[in-house]
Amino acid sequence: MSITSGIGLRRIDHVGIAVPDLDQALELYVGTLGGECTHTETNSEQGVSEAMVAWPDGSSQVQLLAPLDENSTIQKFLDRQGPGLQQLAFEVEDIDHACAVLRDKGVRLLFDEPKTGTGGSRINFAHPKDVGGVLVELVEPVASTTPH
Amino acid sequence: MSITSGIGLRRIDHVGIAVPDLDQALELYVGTLGGECTHTETNSEQGVSEAMVAWPDGSSQVQLLAPLDENSTIQKFLDRQGPGLQQLAFEVEDIDHACAVLRDKGVRLLFDEPKTGTGGSRINFAHPKDVGGVLVELVEPVASTTPH
Ligand SMILES: [Co+2]
Ligand SMILES: [Co+2]
């Protein structure tokens, strides 16, 4: 088996949405759209204040991402194109393997080594220019807290 | 119970991605990202040629959307901002009820009455300006083919 025999994506973990204000966004996604906020977190390395929102029949969540400061990637996204869909994240079994598969296929990753994402997960991003204009995130969850 | 007591969203049904070429996009999502193409369809009312792509552990799919012609909403999206994340679709139990709830909360819908979506489903869209910049789709699946 070559390294490219399987990338090991399991499912859509979350869809990331850039929002200017987290509380207002929660009012929309929980209040109006009937989701349940399952987790909130501040990730200063990623420059975001975030909330995960779930609906009863699916495991894929919405990740609301508000900027912590002006240098946040999310603030730059908001300045460039306004609030909206920002990233598509896949759960992966082994992020080091998945990143190696992508690099082998000529897809650039944003980080040399995975960084820390939601709930202590390990994350990296494929460069949108190499994957059809989408900011694709890979998420290797902390084993014991994987929601299945 | 008031009409707004529950909108009835069940899960993220799919994430729609605008692509210039469906075959190339399938090469990326099936070939590189290891998904399985579960359905293809041409929807001339919506002006799209589309493919649904699934991963083994999740029910939320990627919907690749290529324009059928220059007047397609997808072509206009591609002209405006290039390929990328275009819509977020939720499965809903009763789309007429969900649309009434949204209208009651001041959210505009793109169509007066639901139109036909993937696999004979009934769909409508909330206006992005009223839901934080995201094109939110509601999907009421054909009962007998709901994947659960
Ligand atoms: Co994310
Ligand atoms: Co759709």
Side-chain angles (χ1 to χ4, degrees):
Chain A
M1 288 207 311
S2 84
I3 195 171
T4 60
S5 61
I7 182 171
L9 302 192
R10 303 305 308 173
R11 63 183 183 97
I12 296 176
D13 184 84
H14 63 267
V15 183
I17 297 173
V19 305
D21 182 283
L22 197 60
D23 289 334
Q24 267 186 16
L26 280 168
E27 243 178 78
L28 174 62
Y29 280 86
V30 175
T32 303
L33 296 178
E36 184 195 352
C37 178
T38 59
H39 183 83
T40 58
E41 181 173 334
T42 295
N43 186 327
S44 39
E45 190 180 45
Q46 298 296 318
V48 295
S49 170
E50 61 167 88
M52 301 294 283
V53 182
W55 283 264
D57 288 353
S59 67
S60 302
Q61 301 191 50
V62 159
Q63 181 183 48
L64 302 171
L65 296 160
L68 278 184
D69 57 45
E70 287 164 19
N71 299 318
S72 164
T73 309
I74 296 300
Q75 187 58 57
K76 287 169 192 159
F77 182 94
L78 291 169
D79 291 343
R80 200 171 55 241
Q81 59 187 94
L85 297 169
Q86 190 259 350
Q87 56 169 249
L88 176 60
F90 291 94
E91 182 185 312
V92 65
E93 290 161 350
D94 177 345
I95 195 169
D96 300 303
H97 173 76
C99 288
V101 169
L102 288 176
R103 288 194 179 100
D104 190 59
K105 294 188 185 228
V107 175
R108 289 165 290 174
L109 283 296
L110 295 196
F111 309 136
D112 288 340
E113 293 293 331
K115 299 204 174 191
T116 302
T118 308
S121 58
R122 298 175 68 219
I123 63 169
N124 207 335
F125 295 88
H127 197 299
K129 289 209 171 136
D130 296 341
V131 284
V134 175
L135 180 60
V136 170
E137 180 180 356
L138 305 177
V139 183
E140 182 189 298
V142 176
S144 56
T145 61
T146 311
H148 275 302
Chain B
M1 289 206 311
S2 86
I3 196 172
T4 59
S5 61
I7 182 171
L9 302 193
R10 303 304 307 173
R11 62 184 182 96
I12 296 176
D13 186 84
H14 63 267
V15 182
I17 297 173
V19 305
D21 182 284
L22 198 60
D23 289 335
Q24 267 186 14
L26 280 168
E27 243 178 78
L28 173 63
Y29 280 87
V30 176
T32 303
L33 296 178
E36 184 194 351
C37 178
T38 58
H39 184 84
T40 58
E41 180 172 336
T42 296
N43 185 327
S44 39
E45 190 181 44
Q46 298 297 317
V48 294
S49 170
E50 61 167 87
M52 301 294 283
V53 183
W55 283 265
D57 288 353
S59 67
S60 302
Q61 301 192 51
V62 160
Q63 182 182 50
L64 301 170
L65 296 161
L68 278 184
D69 57 44
E70 288 164 17
N71 300 317
S72 165
T73 309
I74 297 300
Q75 187 58 56
K76 286 169 192 160
F77 182 95
L78 292 170
D79 291 343
R80 200 170 55 241
Q81 60 188 93
L85 297 169
Q86 191 260 349
Q87 56 170 248
L88 176 60
F90 291 95
E91 182 184 312
V92 64
E93 290 163 348
D94 176 343
I95 194 168
D96 300 303
H97 173 76
C99 289
V101 169
L102 288 176
R103 287 194 180 101
D104 190 59
K105 294 187 186 230
V107 175
R108 288 166 291 175
L109 283 297
L110 295 197
F111 309 135
D112 288 339
E113 293 293 331
K115 298 205 176 192
T116 303
T118 310
S121 58
R122 299 174 69 218
I123 62 170
N124 207 335
F125 295 88
H127 197 299
K129 289 208 171 137
D130 295 342
V131 285
V134 174
L135 180 59
V136 170
E137 179 181 355
L138 304 176
V139 184
E140 182 189 298
V142 175
S144 57
T145 61
T146 310
H148 276 302

